[in-house]
Amino acid sequence: MITRKRLAAATCGLLAALAAALPPPVAAADEPAAKPPSPKVELVLDVSGSMRARDIDGQTRMSAAKQAFNEVLDAVPGEVELGIRTLGANYPGKDRKVGCKDTKQLYPVGPLDRTEAKTAVATLAPTGWTPIGPALLGAAEDLKGGDATRRIVLITDGEDTCAPLDPCEVARDIAAKGIHLVIDTLGLVPDAKTRNQLSCIAEATGGTYTSVQHTDELSDRVSQLVDRAAEPVVTPVATEGATECAKAPQLKAGLYSDREKFGEHRWYRVDVLPGQELRASVSVAADRAVNNDYGVLLRAVTVHGREIVRGSEAGDGRTDVISTGLRYPKDELEDSDGVKPAAETVCLQVSNSFSAPASVKTDPGLPVELTVDVVDAPDEASDVAAFGLGRGWWLLAVLVLTGLVAGLLWGWISRWRFAVWRTN
């Protein structure tokens, strides 16, 4: 006879066995995926006394910065959490010890209230010292925590005035912590010392340095950097170009970094299948003082040395980066047996015509960033070139015909009105 205790134990054992056999529960199909962490950006603005200088488009550097900030705040992507920190904004005195602690968060990092942020910026007036090192330490603290992309954008018109806390060493210490925080620097009408210091800060964390002479340049560049924080992080793959195509590294679609000596040619190879289009671009950064008159050339060449297509860009005056690109669509051909030919090896040549004053070190070479993409060639009907004159004759014919018909109709109406007037 089965007792109640044995029946209960057997029932519990059966339920446990069934539970173990069932698959683990899965999320409902309509359950939203986990939201990725919001990228964080802090704008660090120099409000020291030198920002009173009136040399940017006829206005003070401070006025130019405020105007640029208003434009940037209007365009911040919704997913970006943004904050603002100042340096030299509050202490007008001459006590260096006090002045070198003058950095404060003006607007906390978080979802952006554009009106509140603009109001905070509008209250700023050029005041004190230039404690860049302490400001970078404060900004790093403001952005700490989480796995989101983090970026500091430093805007200043001069070098740090609070040594021995070297801001370049501060940037290296931030990078050494492995917290993946990037510092981009922008110099307003910079001199050589400022340019060198800001370049060092940016280079230490994998950021960029930009020299700014005009208000629109400032707003455009800051907007680009804020937008970049919202984009997926892509780390360039280090490569080394060769002195000739036969020895060049084989590249696939991706982003690559290299260094190129002044006036050097470097080669890379890419395979392109029939029906595909090669898209390539290159940027060469002038991370030190260079002479006026420079250029960058990107050529696509066959393995036999015949040029396919080229892109080039030249400039005159101070620059920080110069870029160019090219596109090469390979026709989709078939032989008599219907078999597609093999991929074509395209040789990419990157050349620069930079030169430097005798006092400037040319080693290591200039930073090069090469982007390679191989995509299916666009259909002829959707090709941008189809909207040029080559396919624009039908539109021109329609316009001519429309004009002719309108002219005849108007002439007929005018004659009819004149006849009616004479009859009356």
Side-chain angles (χ1 to χ4, degrees):
M1 183 176 179
I2 301 176
T3 65
R4 290 182 178 180
K5 289 184 177 180
R6 288 182 177 179
L7 181 60
T11 303
C12 290
L14 180 60
L15 291 175
L18 288 172
L22 290 174
V26 295
D30 57 351
E31 185 176 320
K35 185 179 179 181
S38 298
K40 298 179 180 180
V41 178
E42 182 146 86
L43 306 179
V44 179
L45 178 60
D46 180 356
V47 195
S48 61
S50 59
M51 291 289 283
R52 299 190 192 98
R54 186 178 295 273
D55 54 6
I56 297 184
D57 299 331
Q59 59 182 334
T60 65
R61 298 172 183 177
M62 192 72 247
S63 297
K66 287 183 178 181
Q67 180 181 332
F69 264 53
N70 285 337
E71 295 175 6
V72 169
L73 293 173
D74 282 334
V76 173
E79 66 271 26
V80 173
E81 295 187 359
L82 185 134
I84 303 172
R85 173 172 283 273
T86 60
L87 60 96
N90 301 296
Y91 178 71
K94 297 182 179 181
D95 188 329
R96 185 172 179 275
K97 188 174 182 180
V98 177
C100 287
K101 294 179 180 179
D102 184 9
T103 176
K104 184 178 179 180
Q105 191 174 45
L106 183 71
Y107 185 85
V109 178
L112 180 63
D113 182 323
R114 288 174 169 79
T115 301
E116 186 178 341
K118 287 182 179 180
T119 302
V121 171
T123 63
L124 297 174
T127 302
W129 297 65
T130 313
I132 294 177
L136 293 179
L137 288 174
E141 186 69 16
D142 298 338
L143 295 170
K144 72 176 183 180
D147 299 322
T149 301
R150 286 169 289 176
R151 202 171 206 106
I152 295 173
V153 180
L154 170 65
I155 302 103
T156 180
D157 69 337
E159 61 179 329
D160 181 270
T161 57
C162 293
L165 186 59
D166 185 348
C168 193
E169 291 299 326
V170 170
R172 292 192 182 108
D173 290 342
I174 291 174
K177 293 179 181 179
I179 57 177
H180 307 296
L181 194 158
V182 175
I183 304 175
D184 297 293
T185 59
L186 293 90
L188 305 182
V189 198
D191 56 22
K193 288 184 177 180
T194 301
R195 185 182 300 122
N196 291 338
Q197 186 173 82
L198 295 182
S199 296
C200 181
I201 293 171
E203 185 176 344
T205 61
T208 60
Y209 161 70
T210 306
S211 172
V212 175
Q213 307 286 339
H214 303 285
T215 307
D216 57 348
E217 293 176 350
L218 178 60
S219 58
D220 288 348
R221 185 56 178 159
V222 176
S223 294
Q224 289 173 3
L225 295 173
V226 173
D227 290 343
R228 184 175 293 180
E231 298 173 353
V233 177
V234 179
T235 303
V237 177
T239 187
E240 187 174 350
T243 56
E244 56 183 286
C245 182
K247 300 177 181 178
Q250 190 79 34
L251 304 183
K252 296 181 179 179
L255 181 64
Y256 300 88
S257 64
D258 198 357
R259 280 192 177 269
E260 187 172 83
K261 297 177 182 179
F262 284 78
E264 188 181 16
H265 307 284
R266 288 214 163 191
W267 292 88
Y268 312 85
R269 290 187 297 166
V270 182
D271 284 344
V272 184
L273 289 168
Q276 291 185 332
E277 179 174 278
L278 168 63
R279 300 175 182 178
S281 62
V282 66
S283 298
V284 179
D287 59 351
R288 67 208 76 174
V290 297
N291 294 327
N292 289 351
D293 299 322
Y294 43 78
V296 170
L297 171 68
L298 177 63
R299 291 202 309 154
V301 181
T302 68
V303 292
H304 303 295
R306 179 179 61 84
E307 181 175 295
I308 303 171
V309 65
R310 67 165 57 193
S312 62
E313 187 62 47
D316 179 14
R318 172 64 197 173
T319 189
D320 298 295
V321 65
I322 184 168
S323 307
T324 188
L326 58 81
R327 295 173 63 175
Y328 167 49
K330 183 168 176 58
D331 294 335
E332 187 168 2
L333 301 175
E334 296 183 354
D335 60 19
S336 57
D337 297 327
V339 178
K340 293 183 179 180
E344 176 187 6
T345 296
V346 176
C347 306
L348 289 178
Q349 178 193 5
V350 176
S351 307
N352 78 81
S353 59
F354 280 101
S355 62
S359 59
V360 174
K361 294 181 179 180
T362 59
D363 189 36
L366 300 170
V368 174
E369 191 170 271
L370 177 64
T371 303
V372 175
D373 200 7
V374 181
V375 300
D376 291 336
D379 296 332
E380 185 179 359
S382 64
D383 194 349
V384 176
F387 294 97
L389 287 178
R391 283 180 166 259
W393 293 112
W394 66 271
L395 179 60
L396 182 60
V398 170
L399 292 175
V400 171
L401 182 60
T402 302
L404 179 61
V405 172
L408 291 175
L409 183 60
W410 180 253
W412 179 81
I413 293 174
S414 298
R415 291 180 63 187
W416 174 75
R417 291 176 63 186
F418 182 71
V420 171
W421 176 77
R422 288 190 61 184
T423 302
N424 293 334

